[in-house]
Amino acid sequence: MTPGLLAFSAAFLASVIAAPLIARLCRRLGIVDHPDGARKLHSAAVPLTGGPTVLLSAFVSLAMTLWWYPDLFASTYGDTRFLMSLLA
């Protein structure tokens, strides 16, 4: 399996698993967008979970790829600017 395919697969699987869990948590905590009839035309309250799900999926993808291919970023050791931008 190539690093790109592994990263894609890990991110996809993490998002499929995390999205319903985070949505359920947001519904419990009341972090939802309620329809108002004027601009928001959805029929029920929608959880605001896009950001945390994407962030978690990206983190899992990067962690899994680095675990499977530990020398993938060997050429960037010491390149703090690149690693900080990747982290951001």
Side-chain angles (χ1 to χ4, degrees):
M1 183 179 291
T2 65
L5 184 60
L6 177 66
F8 174 78
S9 301
F12 178 76
L13 187 63
S15 65
V16 166
I17 292 170
L21 297 175
I22 294 175
R24 191 175 311 139
L25 177 67
C26 284
R27 281 189 187 106
R28 267 194 202 141
L29 296 175
I31 307 171
V32 293
D33 184 30
H34 298 284
D36 63 2
R39 247 183 116 197
K40 303 171 187 173
L41 302 177
H42 44 274
S43 60
V46 176
L48 301 171
T49 60
T53 303
V54 170
L55 185 63
L56 181 67
S57 299
F59 176 74
V60 167
S61 172
L62 183 60
M64 189 77 157
T65 304
L66 288 176
W67 178 69
W68 198 274
Y69 296 99
D71 58 342
L72 186 65
F73 292 122
S75 63
T76 62
Y77 289 148
D79 189 3
T80 309
R81 176 188 265 163
F82 172 74
L83 294 175
M84 292 305 283
S85 65
L86 187 63
L87 180 64

